Amino acid sequence: MKNKVGQLLKLGLITLTGVVGSITVGLIMHGSEVFNYKEIYFAYVAFGLSGSFIFAFYHIRGLSDTITAAVSTSAVQFIVASASMPVLYSAFWSFGVNLPVVWLAFLFERKLAVFHWGKFIVIGLVYGTMFVLLTMIVSVLRNVSAIPPMVFRDNFVDGLMIGVGVGLGVQAGEAFIDSLQKTSRE
């Protein structure tokens, strides 16, 4: 029982620090518009929360449980998003951002561990790239013939900043947990 409570606390702390990181960056970039769920900038809250949760889940439970958590999180986001945008677009954005985060969480924990505090840069770049690719896919589905470069730049920057915020927050949460565990061992 004590182990389950500890896991839940770790899950909550890492998720909280990750979403706080994303929201903080969103506030710096776009002000309080990040809290308006009808605005596009709400992505800092929505994807910050889902991304942080997926990273935290991987940290606590491992790969197989994280895949299930990511699909479930994406499904919830899809249901919520489909109330304010077309179903096909909400599916692409919900699943298209969250499912690659499983791969990022794997890299974060395993392959990028040697970079310590630099992991957030890779996370930001991948988020930015995902936002550009999803913008292109949705634009093709909408039969948009010409997409101004500013749309891609803006979406890349927003994705980059969400990823940087999530990455910094998750790293801070994990560092805090590691310091508590080292202190308790001494």
Side-chain angles (χ1 to χ4, degrees), residues 74-88:
S74 298
V76 169
Q77 262 188 340
F78 165 70
I79 291 167
V80 172
S82 62
S84 62
M85 65 190 310
V87 173
L88 186 61

Side-chain angles (χ1 to χ4, degrees), residues 33-49:
E33 289 296 309
V34 297
F35 297 117
N36 184 350
Y37 70 92
K38 294 180 181 178
E39 289 293 326
I40 192 73
Y41 305 121
F42 189 71
Y44 283 87
V45 175
F47 291 126
L49 180 61

